[in-house]
Amino acid sequence: MINPLVDAAHDFPILNRSMHGHRLVWLDSAATSQKPEPVVEAMDRFYHESNANVLRSVHTLADEATTAFHGARFKAARFIQADRPEEVIFTRGTTESLNMVARGYGDLVVKTDDEIVLSPMEHHSNLIPWQQLAKRTGAKLRYVELSPDGVIRPEALAAVIGPRTRIVALSRISNVLGTINPIAEAAEMVHKHGGIMVVDGAQSVPHESTDVHQLGADFLAFSGHKMCGPTGIGVLYGRMDLLETMEPVMYGGEMISYVDQETATWAEVPQKFEGGTPNIAGAIGLGAAIDYLAGVGMDAIHEHSRALGELAFDTLKSLEGVSVYGPARPHAAAVAFNIDGVHPHDVAQVFDSLGVAIRAGHHCAQPLMHWLGVGSTARASFYLYNSQDDVAVLKQAILETKRFFQR
Ligand code: 7TS
């Protein structure tokens, strides 16, 4: 029996809502997770008791706010095993983090005829910044070939990573296929050729214990809102030597060292990349989310996510007239599927009437839809508050949807 890892009804009041007369079953955590009480309370407490801007004023509230903000950076760094808190840059999320690397680092090092290696399963956030970089510099995009079940094999990596590769940018976990990608292997190959490894951790950092050294990540991007934290806060991790050479992309207050009328010099990392007033409450909420996840244990969360993903994959695979995508094993917490003859948006609509929240569409991965030969899919995704019962509800909802459209 796969039970929730937490007291879901207590920690996540939103999950007690009834939806169209049914228990709300949240199967859309890959889009955004729900937020536990300690996260909401930490942000509330900041606004109720300690609100002030950070890194500037000397009064007591500013000091409290700055200490809490630094604390969040420290927690985020420890969570991904970074060597130093300064290697964590707060951003709005994965999308902003990846754009910053492509602009601030890519524009510096990528030249005409260099190569950038991607996969067809990338989220648009880990695709378009590199397309644009290629357009600006004359570099070429190369795509690693996927095996028929949507897996990246080391041989396929070896076929595209070579002496011209400056950047390999891959997601650790696909938001559609639930594939877990061989990042360490890719990193080893690109490092041999003097290039760097950029990891999109949007779907992995919430679900597995992350060690940037084990991954071989030179840069790692992730979002707070998919890991029990608030929206509008995320992280760009970068190796310190790379961050020191990388250019800022957001100019303004708090990111400078000295300014005169003609020119300016930059502050130290990470302030160089955090121009303007940061999302202070968001960072504090992310810190509380990290404490919450660490309290549950990332290894337990990883096991739980995989167990639910694989159970859902097997359950859906056994249903007639249902296509399921991605590998059988290991399969992460997102399971994409289609019901023969029913548009995924109609599937999601019937599901909603049954209290079941899923996502339908191209999941910001249109090249992957093309690779799968479909326009869109439905997708159920799980997290620490879900259980085996929720997989049973998913199955019943599919059967109900089939009956509805057969009538
Ligand atoms: N990379 C991956 C692998 C993602 O799954 C997402 C968001 C992003 C990047 C972008 O993250 P953001 O926080 O900057 O928006 N994925 C999804 C999804 O699957 N459904 O909604 C958002």
Side-chain angles (χ1 to χ4, degrees):
M1 191 66 196
I2 310 167
N3 293 312
L5 289 179
V6 294
D7 183 349
H10 178 268
D11 290 0
F12 296 86
I14 198 170
L15 297 177
N16 299 325
R17 277 196 65 173
S18 99
M19 202 49 76
H20 312 300
H22 300 269
R23 171 173 79 91
L24 168 64
V25 176
W26 183 254
L27 301 183
D28 201 15
S29 294
T32 200
S33 73
Q34 295 303 345
K35 322 303 175 197
E37 284 298 276
V39 169
V40 180
E41 281 163 10
M43 296 174 73
D44 247 30
R45 208 174 320 117
F46 169 71
Y47 281 129
H48 283 144
E49 296 173 15
S50 303
N51 177 60
N53 212 327
V54 292
L55 303 167
R56 51 201 86 191
S57 313
V58 295
H59 49 71
T60 302
L61 287 186
D63 192 45
E64 286 179 18
T66 302
T67 302
F69 186 63
H70 282 327
R73 196 187 306 279
F74 187 84
K75 287 175 189 180
R78 200 175 42 190
F79 194 63
I80 58 171
Q81 309 292 324
D83 291 335
R84 304 163 57 173
E86 294 80 14
E87 290 176 324
V88 163
I89 297 159
F90 284 126
T91 64
R92 283 194 300 131
T94 306
T95 302
E96 185 170 285
S97 298
L98 292 167
N99 275 277
M100 276 171 67
V101 180
R103 271 275 175 198
Y105 183 79
D107 279 0
L108 270 185
V109 302
V110 173
K111 305 276 182 278
T112 310
D113 295 332
D114 282 348
E115 294 178 355
I116 300 164
V117 171
L118 306 170
S119 90
M121 73 173 80
E122 297 315 308
H123 187 281
H124 296 162
S125 295
N126 194 32
L127 181 63
I128 305 168
W130 308 117
Q131 285 179 351
Q132 293 300 312
L133 172 63
K135 281 188 184 153
R136 289 195 298 276
T137 56
K140 291 193 179 61
L141 300 180
R142 296 200 63 185
Y143 284 88
V144 58
E145 195 179 327
L146 305 183
S147 69
D149 58 349
V151 168
I152 298 177
R153 305 234 176 270
E155 310 84 80
L157 288 169
V160 287
I161 298 173
R164 289 185 181 276
T165 311
R166 301 308 325 142
I167 295 173
V168 176
L170 295 174
S171 51
R172 165 67 172 164
I173 292 181
S174 160
N175 65 323
V176 179
L177 299 173
T179 316
I180 303 172
N181 288 325
I183 299 299
E185 287 84 342
E188 198 181 329
M189 289 179 207
V190 69
H191 289 154
K192 266 194 197 127
H193 294 293
I196 61 144
M197 183 74 223
V198 179
V199 183
D200 173 351
Q203 298 292 344
S204 68
V205 174
H207 289 275
E208 65 177 13
S209 100
T210 299
D211 179 333
V212 287
H213 301 290
Q214 257 172 31
L215 285 174
D218 299 296
F219 290 100
L220 168 74
F222 59 98
S223 301
H225 70 95
K226 294 186 202 286
M227 51 187 286
C228 291
T231 51
I233 188 79
V235 165
L236 172 64
Y237 157 84
R239 247 177 48 204
M240 185 48 85
D241 57 318
L242 300 178
L243 292 177
E244 275 167 351
T245 56
M246 180 166 139
E247 288 290 330
V249 295
M250 191 65 69
Y251 305 105
E254 293 302 315
M255 55 76 65
I256 54 83
S257 168
Y258 175 79
V259 185
D260 64 27
Q261 286 196 352
E262 307 306 327
T263 184
T265 57
W266 312 142
E268 298 287 306
V269 176
Q271 265 67 51
K272 171 169 91 166
F273 300 107
E274 294 182 359
T277 298
N279 183 355
I280 306 163
I284 290 168
L286 175 59
I290 286 170
D291 288 342
Y292 184 81
L293 294 177
V296 178
M298 289 312 295
D299 290 341
I301 291 171
H302 175 64
E303 275 311 304
H304 179 79
S305 295
R306 223 182 57 154
L308 285 175
E310 290 173 359
L311 177 67
F313 183 92
D314 292 347
T315 304
L316 271 52
K317 195 92 185 162
S318 72
L319 299 177
E320 213 177 299
V322 177
S323 307
V324 198
Y325 307 102
R329 297 284 184 280
H331 196 105
V335 181
F337 63 96
N338 269 314
I339 302 177
D340 285 357
V342 188
H343 193 280
H345 282 141
D346 294 332
V347 175
Q349 199 104 47
V350 176
F351 273 46
D352 181 56
S353 74
L354 301 169
V356 183
I358 58 164
R359 185 175 171 193
H362 54 59
H363 313 291
C364 304
Q366 284 187 349
L368 179 60
M369 296 297 116
H370 190 73
W371 183 86
L372 288 170
V374 299
S376 55
T377 79
R379 181 192 66 189
S381 53
F382 304 91
Y383 207 15
L384 70 181
Y385 32 67
N386 293 117
S387 70
Q388 191 162 344
D389 285 346
D390 297 340
V391 178
V393 169
L394 169 64
K395 176 181 171 179
Q396 284 312 315
I398 291 176
L399 297 177
E400 181 70 28
T401 307
K402 287 175 68 173
R403 273 196 295 276
F404 182 87
F405 283 98
Q406 270 158 13
R407 278 205 295 273

